[in-house]
Amino acid sequence: MALRSRFFDDDAKIGKIGEDSLRNKLYAQKLKGNIQYYIDNTMDPKSQRDDIDFTVLKLDGNTIKYECKTDCYGISTRNVSYEITSHDFAGCLGRSNSDYIYYVFVNENNEIAESYLIDLQKWREWIGNNASDIKPFVRKSGEKLQLYYSKDIG
């Protein structure tokens, strides 16, 4: 079983699994002619502040922005996490300028077990409408505490 540390460097390594998966999917869509092109923003500081991992230009000229979230706990808990804070900053889902979240569950071998495409605006609305049913929990990250909200999905 892989060690599940919540330190930043480990989070980045786990996060790369979801980014690589979406990058491969977008590349395949480009080869099939289903999109004009995509931009990999994963190394761009401004895009990272806006929580945009990939920008896609569709055939009709519209753009779609994606943020990847890779979760190594949800596959066993059947919970999806909505970050309120992360590494001393506001959580991604509250500040993201993405249109969609590509949410990936990885198993204990760091292999993708399930993935979902979530409309971020609808998710935010759902969180707001169901706040009384959602339980907050805290996960320790190094010497920091991260607050999440979770809701069973199974």
Side-chain angles (χ1 to χ4, degrees), residues 17-18 21 69-72 102-106 112-116:
I17 296 168
S21 173
K69 293 315 262 175
T70 307
D71 187 331
C72 55
Y102 180 66
Y103 202 100
V104 176
F105 288 123
V106 295
I112 295 175
E114 298 174 16
S115 62
Y116 299 90

Side-chain angles (χ1 to χ4, degrees), residues 22-126:
L22 184 55
R23 185 179 296 109
N24 291 338
K25 289 177 184 294
L26 294 174
Y27 181 70
Q29 291 300 308
K30 171 65 177 139
L31 290 178
K32 291 178 184 176
N34 295 335
I35 61 174
Q36 288 188 41
Y37 64 84
Y38 68 94
I39 300 169
D40 183 336
N41 302 311
T42 58
M43 300 303 290
D44 176 54
K46 182 192 180 315
S47 295
Q48 289 307 293
R49 281 190 301 276
D50 292 338
D51 281 307
I52 301 169
D53 287 327
F54 296 92
T55 303
V56 173
L57 182 63
K58 295 173 34 176
L59 295 176
D60 64 6
N62 290 318
T63 59
I64 301 175
K65 298 170 286 190
Y66 295 93
E67 171 66 9
C68 298
K69 293 315 262 175
T70 307
D71 187 331
C72 55
Y73 298 97
I75 196 66
S76 60
T77 65
R78 304 309 299 161
N79 286 317
V80 174
S81 294
Y82 185 99
E83 295 175 323
I84 304 304
T85 62
S86 179
H87 307 290
D88 291 332
F89 296 100
C92 151
L93 303 178
R95 73 171 192 268
S96 180
N97 288 313
S98 293
D99 300 306
Y100 292 93
I101 301 296
Y102 180 66
Y103 202 100
V104 176
F105 288 123
V106 295
N107 63 23
E108 64 275 357
N109 298 316
N110 290 339
E111 299 165 336
I112 295 175
E114 298 174 16
S115 62
Y116 299 90
L117 192 59
I118 302 170
D119 181 309
L120 182 55
Q121 186 57 39
K122 287 181 181 178
W123 196 12
R124 286 175 174 152
E125 290 171 10
W126 186 89

